[in-house]
Amino acid sequence: MDLRIAGKVALITGAANGIGAATAAHIAAEGGKVAIADIDADAAEVMADRLRDTGADAVAVRLDVTDPASVAAAIAITGEQFGNVAILVNNAGFTRDNRIERMEIGDWDAVIDVILKGAFLCTKAVLPGMIDRGWGRIVNISSRAHLGNPGQANYSAAKAGIIGFTRAMSLENAQHGITVNAVAPGIIDTAAVRGLRHYEKIKAAAEATLPLPRLGTAEDVAAAVTFL
């Protein structure tokens, strides 16, 4: 299927591993030029090298999505390498789980800042150029956790915020030829999930209760993101 993104420049946050890395690989396979943006610069470079070895156009960019200066620098580096960002995937995020009475304020702030503030800063930075050119695609990674998970008040709030943010951005920018969508995965079989203490229990429960009796994969999510 030709998704008409060959030659388009895509910036993917949190792209060194997991869903972000799979998404970068899928977009690159469609002919997109990808910026592997991640706070872990070394891991980003490894992923970019992996894509370049396949003949793809890829650049590694260190990015702290909570820092406006870092966001501006990442977009500038991407522009110097490939041109204007036409596709943004707001994927960066992580969990710091605890019940609310034991949750540290720093753990609340960190999760909200990376997931929600990060999406705000990156979107704000790329939108003017997309508006000027009359074309853009923004995909935000939410989660089934937006419905609420025990022990994940910070993560659930951030991912619910992503849904509202996506709706607002879609309404604000459709007139400019820019689509804004969100994907809300369930439990995805990434290295981070496999590292959880109760991984085998989580996997068994998913296999017993999901209509498709397996955990989702990063490639499942990446295919949906790339289509959007």
Side-chain angles (χ1 to χ4, degrees):
M1 179 185 296
D2 180 8
L3 298 180
R4 295 179 292 175
I5 58 175
K8 300 286 188 184
V9 180
L11 177 72
I12 304 106
T13 71
N17 298 286
I19 290 171
T23 298
H26 274 244
I27 292 174
E30 288 289 330
K33 301 178 179 182
V34 295
I36 309 298
D38 203 284
I39 197 165
D40 186 338
D42 292 339
E45 192 62 52
V46 169
M47 183 61 196
D49 280 341
R50 190 180 308 162
L51 291 180
R52 287 191 289 260
D53 286 345
T54 70
D57 291 318
V59 61
V61 182
R62 186 189 181 279
L63 173 60
D64 176 354
V65 296
T66 70
D67 179 2
S70 180
V71 171
I75 292 170
I77 292 168
T78 302
E80 291 168 4
Q81 185 76 21
F82 293 138
N84 296 311
V85 173
I87 299 164
L88 171 66
V89 181
N90 286 310
N91 167 73
F94 62 95
T95 59
R96 286 189 182 171
D97 298 348
N98 220 329
R99 295 189 65 85
I100 194 71
E101 66 272 18
R102 294 194 296 272
M103 185 176 289
E104 299 291 339
I105 293 173
D107 290 340
W108 173 274
D109 287 344
V111 171
I112 296 291
D113 280 356
V114 169
I115 293 172
L116 197 50
K117 182 181 178 181
F120 161 71
L121 290 176
C122 292
T123 301
K124 181 178 173 66
V126 301
L127 266 176
M130 291 181 176
I131 291 170
D132 286 346
R133 293 184 295 276
W135 198 95
R137 298 290 181 265
I138 299 173
V139 184
N140 301 318
I141 305 301
S142 181
S143 167
R144 176 253 170 248
H146 81 273
L147 299 171
N149 277 343
Q152 288 193 316
N154 49 2
Y155 188 73
S156 294
K159 292 301 189 179
I162 286 291
I163 298 292
F165 178 72
T166 299
R167 291 180 181 277
M169 290 300 94
S170 178
L171 293 170
E172 284 187 21
N173 294 290
Q175 62 183 314
H176 302 298
I178 300 165
T179 64
V180 187
N181 289 281
V183 175
I187 300 171
I188 302 301
D189 196 8
T190 62
V193 170
R194 288 191 294 274
L196 295 175
R197 183 175 54 179
H198 301 300
Y199 168 71
E200 292 299 333
K201 183 178 179 180
I202 292 169
K203 181 181 178 184
E207 290 174 345
T209 58
L210 292 175
L212 184 63
R214 65 168 175 81
L215 295 182
T217 68
E219 286 69 27
D220 292 332
V221 183
V225 173
T226 305
F227 176 78
L228 293 170

